[in-house]
Amino acid sequence: MSKLRFFWEQSWLLLVSSLIFGVLLAIADTAWAPRIARNEVEKFTRLAGGMLPEAKRFEPIESKIPVDAGKGKTVQVEVYRAVDDSGRRVGWAFVCEGSGFADKIKLVVAADAGFEKLAGFGVLSSNETPGFGDKITIPGGFYQKQFVGAPAQTLTLVKTGDAERIDSEIVAISGATVTSQAVVDILNRYVSAVRTALQEQGLLRN
Amino acid sequence: MADNQTHLTRTFLAGLWQENPVLRLLLGMCPTLAVTTSVQAALTMGASVIFVLIGSNLVVSLMRNLLKPHLRILMFTLTIATFVTIADLFLKAYQPAMSAKLGPYIPLIIVNCIIICRAEACASKNGLLVSLADAVGMGLGFTGALTILALIRELLATGQIVFEFGHKVTLLTLPEVPLFRMAGMAMPVGAFLTLGLMLGGVKLLTEKRA
């Protein structure tokens, strides 16, 4: 028996099933991907709107901003200008992501109109450990609160400190240092790159 | 014909009680302990498991005579993973809040031992109808156990049973008695304690019957 015939006899079911299942998954993805994307946009608007309460709508700026995502990868970030009823700029918001303890963490980060202070962050998706790392997802929780009003510059994670004091030092969640560090790293990577790009494009001037 | 029907009924009923995957076989413990903080989450997990069980049992039953021994587990996993991904995408599209709440536990159905156990023990040896009856019985047995566990935990932890469909609907509220507010019930310790008591209850019941 030829090798090719032996291979086919042994694996045809696996190959045919993979093809059928692949088509089935492609159909499901095509059917539901637009709805999933819409859900994500709604979640972004809800999270960013919660951090910038004056914002009535979010308008994407003309060009995407390249950010070094580590390991030699560059991602193009879509940055949104938050404007109020009268069209006045009240802040900025964008989506960023990075590796957490268990999986990727996807965040919405918002900053004030001059991009000097953070308005906070919200979690779009994370699979961090329930009871520990998932504390980053609690809106108004002790971890998230430390970012509201923090300077839009390099942040540092400390294990102990005053979590009530709003500055560039972020106090880690007990038992979830990796997750806490991951959030700080994501913000450090994206915030300065976005601010610099906005400054260079002259978008931070009133 | 009558024998066939009896076999089908017996297979279906076995999953509900005699071979209940959670209470008798102690399978699927991870989701049982992890997602039973709320009844809605337990029901969503149960519905997802029923969907995956039915899908994988039917497909495995259809291909049972074509399976090569060395590819058996690989084929089971491929089939289960496909149905789990469909369930995950569906939840992300139509139940995004619940999908976020259940987090990794929906994708983790791929490694849920109930599903692979039924594919191996039943679907790979039986026809379509028996496999379907087994999937529905086992799925309902799993969902039932999860729901009872979640009902006890959610009620004792929060004092109420709440469903969210865009807005909150409170189905049941306990009176304001300190005994009825045990925050620990929402934590892993509450899951172990409640499950342990439930297993003890089931053991008592079955021993009395014997």
Side-chain angles (χ1 to χ4, degrees):
Chain A
M1 194 190 301
S2 75
K3 273 186 180 174
L4 196 64
R5 192 172 161 191
F6 176 76
F7 173 78
W8 175 248
E9 278 184 359
Q10 292 296 310
S11 60
W12 73 268
L13 184 63
L14 181 65
L15 295 172
V16 172
S17 309
S18 301
L19 187 71
I20 295 170
F21 290 148
V23 170
L24 208 62
L25 288 177
I27 292 170
D29 188 53
T30 309
W32 295 327
R35 205 182 162 98
I36 294 171
R38 203 164 59 237
N39 289 341
E40 285 204 359
V41 171
E42 277 171 17
K43 198 170 178 185
F44 170 84
T45 312
R46 202 173 53 246
L47 285 171
M51 291 182 272
L52 299 164
E54 286 175 67
K56 287 292 169 234
R57 56 182 195 279
F58 292 89
E59 300 168 343
I61 61 166
E62 270 178 30
S63 56
K64 291 185 177 179
I65 293 173
V67 173
D68 175 15
K71 294 177 186 170
K73 283 184 191 168
T74 302
V75 289
Q76 301 293 325
V77 183
E78 186 143 56
V79 178
Y80 294 83
R81 186 191 289 111
V83 291
D84 66 6
D85 272 337
S86 60
R88 187 175 59 95
R89 190 179 76 220
V90 293
W92 300 93
F94 57 92
V95 175
C96 52
E97 64 177 38
S99 299
F101 178 69
D103 200 351
K104 272 196 171 172
I105 299 175
K106 212 168 172 182
L107 308 172
V108 176
V109 176
D112 65 3
F115 218 106
E116 285 159 359
K117 286 181 177 176
L118 297 174
F121 78 86
V123 180
L124 268 181
S125 66
S126 104
N127 285 333
E128 297 305 285
T129 318
F132 293 95
D134 74 343
K135 284 184 180 163
I136 62 164
T137 62
I138 303 170
F142 110 94
Y143 188 73
Q144 280 202 8
K145 259 166 62 179
Q146 298 180 76
F147 292 83
V148 182
Q153 51 184 254
T154 306
L155 303 171
T156 320
L157 189 81
V158 292
K159 285 200 173 178
T160 52
D162 184 5
E164 298 286 322
R165 201 177 64 224
I166 302 298
D167 56 13
S168 60
E169 281 196 346
I170 304 295
V171 181
I173 299 165
S174 296
T177 313
V178 176
T179 305
S180 310
Q181 185 68 58
V183 172
V184 168
D185 287 347
I186 294 169
L187 262 72
N188 283 343
R189 188 168 292 143
Y190 280 74
V191 168
S192 57
V194 171
R195 195 190 53 236
T196 309
L198 291 177
Q199 271 167 348
E200 282 170 2
Q201 292 177 27
L203 292 170
L204 290 184
R205 283 195 295 267
N206 282 323
Chain B
M1 187 71 182
D3 268 3
N4 236 348
Q5 274 183 347
T6 321
H7 182 44
L8 275 180
T9 317
R10 231 183 12 244
T11 308
F12 171 71
L13 292 176
L16 295 183
W17 179 248
Q18 262 177 313
E19 288 176 32
N20 184 291
V22 176
L23 302 174
R24 305 300 295 275
L25 305 181
L26 301 188
L27 294 174
M29 285 294 110
C30 291
T32 302
L33 296 167
V35 307
T36 48
T37 47
S38 85
V39 175
Q40 193 182 4
L43 285 172
T44 311
M45 171 57 79
S48 308
V49 167
I50 291 174
F51 168 74
V52 176
L53 256 174
I54 291 176
S56 65
N57 260 20
L58 289 181
V59 171
V60 169
S61 172
L62 275 173
M63 61 169 70
R64 69 187 189 281
N65 295 324
L66 305 169
L67 285 170
K68 301 271 182 206
H70 62 285
L71 287 179
R72 216 179 64 254
I73 299 295
L74 183 60
M75 289 304 303
F76 293 168
T77 315
L78 184 70
T79 311
I80 295 165
T82 304
F83 286 103
V84 171
T85 310
I86 291 173
D88 190 34
L89 285 173
F90 178 83
L91 283 179
K92 278 188 176 137
Y94 293 97
Q95 290 286 323
M98 189 44 69
S99 171
K101 186 171 181 176
L102 290 171
Y105 293 103
I106 293 291
L108 280 175
I109 295 174
I110 292 172
V111 288
N112 188 322
C113 30
I114 300 170
I115 323 261
I116 205 145
C117 165
R118 297 330 296 169
E120 174 71 32
C122 179
S124 62
K125 297 183 179 84
N126 291 290
L128 276 179
L129 277 179
V130 176
S131 300
L132 179 66
D134 180 73
V136 177
M138 285 286 164
L140 288 177
F142 175 74
T143 309
L146 250 65
T147 309
I148 295 168
L149 191 57
L151 199 71
I152 297 168
R153 290 184 66 195
E154 190 178 356
L155 260 182
L156 292 180
T158 64
Q160 50 189 11
I161 301 291
V162 176
F163 273 58
E164 274 191 70
F165 306 100
H167 57 282
K168 282 188 177 179
V169 180
T170 307
L171 292 187
L172 189 65
T173 308
L174 283 182
E176 284 287 339
V177 178
L179 182 67
F180 294 153
R181 299 287 188 278
M182 294 185 269
M185 293 304 280
M187 295 159 88
V189 64
F192 280 110
L193 190 69
T194 316
L195 182 64
L197 290 171
M198 276 172 72
L199 292 177
V202 170
K203 178 94 173 145
L204 263 179
L205 270 175
T206 47
E207 274 181 357
K208 270 188 185 170
R209 278 189 186 175

